[in-house]
Amino acid sequence: MPVVRINNYVDAYRLRAQADDIHELAARPNRKSLTEFVNRQILTAIQLAPDDVLVDIGCGDATLLRMAKGMAKGGPSKCIGVSVSVEEQKRLESAFPGLSFITSHAQSLPLDSGSATKIVCNATLLYLPSEDDVLAALREMARIARPGATIWIGDMPEIDEYAHYGMYRGTSMLALLRHLMKHNGLRAVAGMLRRWLKAIVGSEQIVLNSCGILYAGPEKMLQLAESCGLKLKTHFRHRELDESGGVVDSKFRYDYIFTV
Ligand SMILES: C[S@@+](CC[C@H](N)C(=O)[O-])C[C@H]1O[C@@H](n2cnc3c(N)ncnc32)[C@H](O)[C@@H]1O
């Protein structure tokens, strides 16, 4: 399949599960240290205890779960990773046999009400198809949370980053080449033509996704979350690593900690 055309993120992650490098599931290409940094920040914020039940909705390459399980003391008694496709779940299970994974949409979780004491949903809500889906996911988090639970919702953009950074969304190779010419110049076009040739002979896969991302600034996020029964504890700018490894505030992303 040289050029794959899709219009949603479930298929995008299903395809990522085929990559040689399992870190593809975290969708931070060549930035494994950033994934580790982000998930370490989450662990520090949520303060796991031995009797905790941790649910990581959109668990990516399971970095958070691996870190939680590897804690010398105070690790949670139970960790569940939620990924959106069976392909991801199988890939994660074969790479990390000691961890538990389920396949589910965040909008409808097969977990008991009040069963989780720590819930994490990082860099995931932006991939849901609509605001109604975000509301359904927030309601599910509120439902599975035990009273007093800590709920981390992070890496949520306040603007359409794809539009801001001039990233192509669509399923036409010709439109992509035109877009690259306009935004990135001849070198980018030449690079994509090389990849296209490789894709035609079957040594590379190009995935064209027409789906955008969802975004909501703090005011909107709080309004959505509170309408679903979540109570804000705090929110702050998402922190990340720049290219040289320095810690910086994200330009457009926020992290939120809620409870019920
Ligand atoms: C960018 S990765 C985030 C990985 C991890 N949370 C992190 O921050 O390192 C996005 C995750 O969202 C999941 N995902 C995408 N759509 C989803 C949905 N509708 N319901 C649940 N998970 C979804 C994918 O399976 C993937 O694990």
Side-chain angles (χ1 to χ4, degrees), residues 9-10 13 25-28 35 38-39 56-61 82-85 88 104-107 122-124 127-128 155:
Y9 288 102
V10 179
Y13 279 92
L25 292 179
R28 298 185 186 92
T35 295
V38 166
N39 284 287
D56 186 7
I57 303 167
C59 67
D61 68 345
V82 180
S83 57
V84 77
S85 66
E88 283 168 276
S104 173
H105 288 245
Q107 302 91 308
N122 196 68
T124 296
Y127 296 123
L128 301 193
D155 241 325

mmCIF file of all heavy atoms in Angstrom, residues 9-10 13 25-28 35 38-39 56-61 82-85 88 104-107 122-124 127-128 155, ligand 1:
data_model
loop_
_atom_site.group_PDB
_atom_site.id
_atom_site.type_symbol
_atom_site.label_atom_id
_atom_site.label_comp_id
_atom_site.label_asym_id
_atom_site.label_seq_id
_atom_site.Cartn_x
_atom_site.Cartn_y
_atom_site.Cartn_z
ATOM 1 N N TYR A 9 -8.348 9.299 13.172
ATOM 2 C CA TYR A 9 -7.137 8.944 13.923
ATOM 3 C C TYR A 9 -7.135 7.501 14.409
ATOM 4 O O TYR A 9 -6.090 6.996 14.800
ATOM 5 C CB TYR A 9 -6.935 9.913 15.092
ATOM 6 C CG TYR A 9 -6.506 11.265 14.588
ATOM 7 C CD1 TYR A 9 -7.403 12.309 14.498
ATOM 8 C CD2 TYR A 9 -5.206 11.459 14.145
ATOM 9 C CE1 TYR A 9 -7.023 13.529 13.990
ATOM 10 C CE2 TYR A 9 -4.818 12.675 13.626
ATOM 11 C CZ TYR A 9 -5.733 13.706 13.559
ATOM 12 O OH TYR A 9 -5.338 14.910 13.036
ATOM 13 N N VAL A 10 -8.289 6.855 14.384
ATOM 14 C CA VAL A 10 -8.283 5.436 14.768
ATOM 15 C C VAL A 10 -7.431 4.682 13.737
ATOM 16 O O VAL A 10 -6.526 3.911 14.083
ATOM 17 C CB VAL A 10 -9.721 4.869 14.847
ATOM 18 C CG1 VAL A 10 -9.679 3.395 15.219
ATOM 19 C CG2 VAL A 10 -10.536 5.658 15.866
ATOM 20 N N TYR A 13 -3.658 5.505 14.102
ATOM 21 C CA TYR A 13 -2.939 4.756 15.142
ATOM 22 C C TYR A 13 -2.850 3.275 14.809
ATOM 23 O O TYR A 13 -1.861 2.621 15.136
ATOM 24 C CB TYR A 13 -3.534 5.033 16.530
ATOM 25 C CG TYR A 13 -2.984 6.350 17.025
ATOM 26 C CD1 TYR A 13 -3.657 7.539 16.802
ATOM 27 C CD2 TYR A 13 -1.718 6.409 17.621
ATOM 28 C CE1 TYR A 13 -3.107 8.752 17.184
ATOM 29 C CE2 TYR A 13 -1.169 7.612 18.006
ATOM 30 C CZ TYR A 13 -1.863 8.775 17.780
ATOM 31 O OH TYR A 13 -1.303 9.976 18.142
ATOM 32 N N LEU A 25 3.817 4.972 18.416
ATOM 33 C CA LEU A 25 2.486 5.044 19.038
ATOM 34 C C LEU A 25 2.333 6.278 19.927
ATOM 35 O O LEU A 25 1.226 6.632 20.313
ATOM 36 C CB LEU A 25 2.202 3.775 19.858
ATOM 37 C CG LEU A 25 2.035 2.493 19.034
ATOM 38 C CD1 LEU A 25 1.772 1.300 19.937
ATOM 39 C CD2 LEU A 25 0.872 2.655 18.048
ATOM 40 N N ALA A 26 3.450 6.912 20.268
ATOM 41 C CA ALA A 26 3.374 8.141 21.064
ATOM 42 C C ALA A 26 3.298 9.364 20.152
ATOM 43 O O ALA A 26 3.090 10.493 20.636
ATOM 44 C CB ALA A 26 4.566 8.255 22.001
ATOM 45 N N ALA A 27 3.487 9.160 18.842
ATOM 46 C CA ALA A 27 3.352 10.226 17.848
ATOM 47 C C ALA A 27 4.238 11.446 18.126
ATOM 48 O O ALA A 27 3.816 12.583 17.922
ATOM 49 C CB ALA A 27 1.886 10.645 17.714
ATOM 50 N N ARG A 28 5.445 11.186 18.617
ATOM 51 C CA ARG A 28 6.432 12.275 18.722
ATOM 52 C C ARG A 28 7.679 11.793 17.990
ATOM 53 O O ARG A 28 8.643 11.353 18.629
ATOM 54 C CB ARG A 28 6.766 12.594 20.195
ATOM 55 C CG ARG A 28 5.587 13.081 21.004
ATOM 56 C CD ARG A 28 5.982 13.503 22.415
ATOM 57 N NE ARG A 28 4.800 13.826 23.204
ATOM 58 C CZ ARG A 28 4.145 12.936 23.970
ATOM 59 N NH1 ARG A 28 4.579 11.704 24.084
ATOM 60 N NH2 ARG A 28 3.063 13.312 24.640
ATOM 61 N N THR A 35 8.863 12.273 25.050
ATOM 62 C CA THR A 35 7.787 11.416 25.587
ATOM 63 C C THR A 35 8.101 11.034 27.033
ATOM 64 O O THR A 35 7.227 11.065 27.903
ATOM 65 C CB THR A 35 7.622 10.162 24.702
ATOM 66 O OG1 THR A 35 7.186 10.586 23.420
ATOM 67 C CG2 THR A 35 6.593 9.202 25.274
ATOM 68 N N VAL A 38 7.604 14.200 29.247
ATOM 69 C CA VAL A 38 6.179 14.532 29.436
ATOM 70 C C VAL A 38 5.540 13.576 30.434
ATOM 71 O O VAL A 38 4.821 13.973 31.350
ATOM 72 C CB VAL A 38 5.444 14.478 28.069
ATOM 73 C CG1 VAL A 38 3.934 14.462 28.244
ATOM 74 C CG2 VAL A 38 5.861 15.650 27.194
ATOM 75 N N ASN A 39 5.833 12.298 30.287
ATOM 76 C CA ASN A 39 5.195 11.316 31.166
ATOM 77 C C ASN A 39 5.770 11.364 32.584
ATOM 78 O O ASN A 39 5.054 11.090 33.554
ATOM 79 C CB ASN A 39 5.266 9.925 30.547
ATOM 80 C CG ASN A 39 4.245 9.771 29.432
ATOM 81 O OD1 ASN A 39 3.052 9.667 29.692
ATOM 82 N ND2 ASN A 39 4.691 9.827 28.184
ATOM 83 N N ASP A 56 -4.708 4.831 31.972
ATOM 84 C CA ASP A 56 -4.088 5.768 31.026
ATOM 85 C C ASP A 56 -4.849 5.671 29.705
ATOM 86 O O ASP A 56 -4.692 4.709 28.946
ATOM 87 C CB ASP A 56 -2.605 5.411 30.841
ATOM 88 C CG ASP A 56 -1.877 6.431 29.981
ATOM 89 O OD1 ASP A 56 -2.480 7.463 29.636
ATOM 90 O OD2 ASP A 56 -0.695 6.194 29.650
ATOM 91 N N ILE A 57 -5.686 6.680 29.452
ATOM 92 C CA ILE A 57 -6.550 6.670 28.258
ATOM 93 C C ILE A 57 -5.764 7.283 27.093
ATOM 94 O O ILE A 57 -5.398 8.454 27.133
ATOM 95 C CB ILE A 57 -7.841 7.484 28.521
ATOM 96 C CG1 ILE A 57 -8.575 6.930 29.752
ATOM 97 C CG2 ILE A 57 -8.743 7.475 27.294
ATOM 98 C CD1 ILE A 57 -9.673 7.857 30.271
ATOM 99 N N GLY A 58 -5.507 6.471 26.081
ATOM 100 C CA GLY A 58 -4.623 6.907 24.982
ATOM 101 C C GLY A 58 -3.187 6.735 25.437
ATOM 102 O O GLY A 58 -2.424 7.698 25.528
ATOM 103 N N CYS A 59 -2.834 5.481 25.715
ATOM 104 C CA CYS A 59 -1.555 5.220 26.421
ATOM 105 C C CYS A 59 -0.345 5.236 25.504
ATOM 106 O O CYS A 59 0.785 5.046 25.976
ATOM 107 C CB CYS A 59 -1.635 3.902 27.188
ATOM 108 S SG CYS A 59 -1.768 2.464 26.095
ATOM 109 N N GLY A 60 -0.530 5.455 24.193
ATOM 110 C CA GLY A 60 0.611 5.595 23.287
ATOM 111 C C GLY A 60 1.520 4.379 23.322
ATOM 112 O O GLY A 60 1.070 3.243 23.134
ATOM 113 N N ASP A 61 2.809 4.605 23.582
ATOM 114 C CA ASP A 61 3.768 3.477 23.620
ATOM 115 C C ASP A 61 3.963 2.978 25.054
ATOM 116 O O ASP A 61 4.967 2.331 25.342
ATOM 117 C CB ASP A 61 5.100 3.891 23.004
ATOM 118 C CG ASP A 61 5.825 4.930 23.846
ATOM 119 O OD1 ASP A 61 5.196 5.544 24.744
ATOM 120 O OD2 ASP A 61 7.032 5.130 23.620
ATOM 121 N N VAL A 82 -5.221 2.186 27.851
ATOM 122 C CA VAL A 82 -6.291 2.148 26.847
ATOM 123 C C VAL A 82 -5.715 2.640 25.523
ATOM 124 O O VAL A 82 -5.171 3.746 25.453
ATOM 125 C CB VAL A 82 -7.469 3.070 27.257
ATOM 126 C CG1 VAL A 82 -8.581 3.030 26.202
ATOM 127 C CG2 VAL A 82 -8.011 2.697 28.630
ATOM 128 N N SER A 83 -5.824 1.799 24.490
ATOM 129 C CA SER A 83 -5.466 2.277 23.150
ATOM 130 C C SER A 83 -6.691 2.086 22.261
ATOM 131 O O SER A 83 -7.596 1.340 22.603
ATOM 132 C CB SER A 83 -4.246 1.542 22.594
ATOM 133 O OG SER A 83 -4.498 0.168 22.569
ATOM 134 N N VAL A 84 -6.673 2.754 21.120
ATOM 135 C CA VAL A 84 -7.937 2.841 20.377
ATOM 136 C C VAL A 84 -8.107 1.731 19.334
ATOM 137 O O VAL A 84 -9.198 1.549 18.813
ATOM 138 C CB VAL A 84 -8.081 4.257 19.765
ATOM 139 C CG1 VAL A 84 -7.213 4.432 18.524
ATOM 140 C CG2 VAL A 84 -9.525 4.591 19.488
ATOM 141 N N SER A 85 -7.045 0.974 19.053
ATOM 142 C CA SER A 85 -7.198 -0.098 18.055
ATOM 143 C C SER A 85 -6.654 -1.415 18.597
ATOM 144 O O SER A 85 -5.730 -1.425 19.417
ATOM 145 C CB SER A 85 -6.461 0.267 16.755
ATOM 146 O OG SER A 85 -5.069 0.314 16.991
ATOM 147 N N GLU A 88 -2.926 -1.773 18.037
ATOM 148 C CA GLU A 88 -2.057 -1.174 19.069
ATOM 149 C C GLU A 88 -1.990 -2.079 20.294
ATOM 150 O O GLU A 88 -0.913 -2.313 20.848
ATOM 151 C CB GLU A 88 -2.614 0.178 19.510
ATOM 152 C CG GLU A 88 -2.367 1.320 18.555
ATOM 153 C CD GLU A 88 -3.219 2.515 18.974
ATOM 154 O OE1 GLU A 88 -4.402 2.568 18.603
ATOM 155 O OE2 GLU A 88 -2.695 3.377 19.665
ATOM 156 N N SER A 104 -10.277 0.481 23.449
ATOM 157 C CA SER A 104 -11.549 1.171 23.672
ATOM 158 C C SER A 104 -11.460 2.606 23.170
ATOM 159 O O SER A 104 -10.386 3.197 23.157
ATOM 160 C CB SER A 104 -11.875 1.179 25.158
ATOM 161 O OG SER A 104 -13.005 1.974 25.399
ATOM 162 N N HIS A 105 -12.607 3.132 22.800
ATOM 163 C CA HIS A 105 -12.680 4.559 22.528
ATOM 164 C C HIS A 105 -12.831 5.279 23.864
ATOM 165 O O HIS A 105 -13.550 4.796 24.750
ATOM 166 C CB HIS A 105 -13.881 4.860 21.638
ATOM 167 C CG HIS A 105 -13.670 4.391 20.225
ATOM 168 N ND1 HIS A 105 -13.596 5.243 19.158
ATOM 169 C CD2 HIS A 105 -13.479 3.151 19.728
ATOM 170 C CE1 HIS A 105 -13.382 4.559 18.058
ATOM 171 N NE2 HIS A 105 -13.306 3.282 18.375
ATOM 172 N N ALA A 106 -12.189 6.428 23.988
ATOM 173 C CA ALA A 106 -12.301 7.206 25.232
ATOM 174 C C ALA A 106 -13.746 7.582 25.512
ATOM 175 O O ALA A 106 -14.137 7.784 26.660
ATOM 176 C CB ALA A 106 -11.457 8.476 25.103
ATOM 177 N N GLN A 107 -14.548 7.636 24.449
ATOM 178 C CA GLN A 107 -15.938 8.079 24.577
ATOM 179 C C GLN A 107 -16.820 7.034 25.256
ATOM 180 O O GLN A 107 -17.957 7.326 25.626
ATOM 181 C CB GLN A 107 -16.526 8.372 23.180
ATOM 182 C CG GLN A 107 -15.780 9.402 22.369
ATOM 183 C CD GLN A 107 -14.710 8.802 21.470
ATOM 184 O OE1 GLN A 107 -13.862 8.037 21.923
ATOM 185 N NE2 GLN A 107 -14.713 9.171 20.195
ATOM 186 N N ASN A 122 -3.519 12.018 28.151
ATOM 187 C CA ASN A 122 -2.561 13.017 27.662
ATOM 188 C C ASN A 122 -2.403 12.928 26.152
ATOM 189 O O ASN A 122 -2.228 11.829 25.604
ATOM 190 C CB ASN A 122 -1.191 12.804 28.330
ATOM 191 C CG ASN A 122 -0.302 14.010 28.162
ATOM 192 O OD1 ASN A 122 -0.586 15.058 28.735
ATOM 193 N ND2 ASN A 122 0.740 13.911 27.349
ATOM 194 N N ALA A 123 -2.448 14.072 25.499
ATOM 195 C CA ALA A 123 -2.266 14.143 24.037
ATOM 196 C C ALA A 123 -3.224 13.203 23.314
ATOM 197 O O ALA A 123 -2.835 12.515 22.376
ATOM 198 C CB ALA A 123 -0.813 13.817 23.668
ATOM 199 N N THR A 124 -4.457 13.171 23.766
ATOM 200 C CA THR A 124 -5.427 12.240 23.181
ATOM 201 C C THR A 124 -6.742 12.925 22.804
ATOM 202 O O THR A 124 -7.271 12.682 21.715
ATOM 203 C CB THR A 124 -5.689 11.068 24.172
ATOM 204 O OG1 THR A 124 -4.461 10.357 24.332
ATOM 205 C CG2 THR A 124 -6.762 10.127 23.677
ATOM 206 N N TYR A 127 -7.472 14.271 19.322
ATOM 207 C CA TYR A 127 -7.697 13.374 18.179
ATOM 208 C C TYR A 127 -9.140 12.896 18.058
ATOM 209 O O TYR A 127 -9.459 12.107 17.179
ATOM 210 C CB TYR A 127 -6.776 12.152 18.280
ATOM 211 C CG TYR A 127 -5.314 12.523 18.193
ATOM 212 C CD1 TYR A 127 -4.423 12.180 19.197
ATOM 213 C CD2 TYR A 127 -4.837 13.227 17.100
ATOM 214 C CE1 TYR A 127 -3.087 12.531 19.121
ATOM 215 C CE2 TYR A 127 -3.504 13.581 17.007
ATOM 216 C CZ TYR A 127 -2.640 13.234 18.025
ATOM 217 O OH TYR A 127 -1.321 13.585 17.931
ATOM 218 N N LEU A 128 -9.999 13.330 18.971
ATOM 219 C CA LEU A 128 -11.385 12.885 18.876
ATOM 220 C C LEU A 128 -12.087 13.639 17.747
ATOM 221 O O LEU A 128 -11.730 14.773 17.424
ATOM 222 C CB LEU A 128 -12.113 13.095 20.207
ATOM 223 C CG LEU A 128 -11.505 12.366 21.419
ATOM 224 C CD1 LEU A 128 -12.464 12.389 22.599
ATOM 225 C CD2 LEU A 128 -11.136 10.939 21.108
ATOM 226 N N ASP A 155 -1.604 18.162 27.355
ATOM 227 C CA ASP A 155 -1.136 18.307 25.973
ATOM 228 C C ASP A 155 -2.287 18.734 25.061
ATOM 229 O O ASP A 155 -2.412 18.270 23.935
ATOM 230 C CB ASP A 155 -0.589 16.959 25.474
ATOM 231 C CG ASP A 155 0.884 17.017 25.077
ATOM 232 O OD1 ASP A 155 1.318 18.049 24.557
ATOM 233 O OD2 ASP A 155 1.573 16.010 25.263
HETATM 234 C C1 LIG B 1 -0.171 11.003 20.865
HETATM 235 S S1 LIG B 1 -0.627 9.430 21.538
HETATM 236 C C2 LIG B 1 -0.502 9.860 23.265
HETATM 237 C C3 LIG B 1 0.379 8.912 24.000
HETATM 238 C C4 LIG B 1 0.628 9.195 25.473
HETATM 239 N N1 LIG B 1 -0.582 9.544 26.190
HETATM 240 C C5 LIG B 1 1.673 10.269 25.647
HETATM 241 O O1 LIG B 1 1.312 11.430 25.893
HETATM 242 O O2 LIG B 1 2.855 9.938 25.524
HETATM 243 C C6 LIG B 1 -2.357 9.397 21.227
HETATM 244 C C7 LIG B 1 -3.090 8.188 21.810
HETATM 245 O O3 LIG B 1 -4.482 8.452 21.616
HETATM 246 C C8 LIG B 1 -5.109 7.229 21.374
HETATM 247 N N2 LIG B 1 -6.401 7.543 20.773
HETATM 248 C C9 LIG B 1 -6.691 8.154 19.606
HETATM 249 N N3 LIG B 1 -8.014 8.275 19.457
HETATM 250 C C10 LIG B 1 -8.575 7.753 20.574
HETATM 251 C C11 LIG B 1 -9.902 7.565 21.035
HETATM 252 N N4 LIG B 1 -10.957 7.940 20.313
HETATM 253 N N5 LIG B 1 -10.080 6.965 22.233
HETATM 254 C C12 LIG B 1 -9.030 6.555 22.979
HETATM 255 N N6 LIG B 1 -7.757 6.702 22.601
HETATM 256 C C13 LIG B 1 -7.539 7.297 21.412
HETATM 257 C C14 LIG B 1 -4.155 6.428 20.528
HETATM 258 O O4 LIG B 1 -4.441 5.069 20.656
HETATM 259 C C15 LIG B 1 -2.815 6.841 21.179
HETATM 260 O O5 LIG B 1 -2.508 5.915 22.184
#
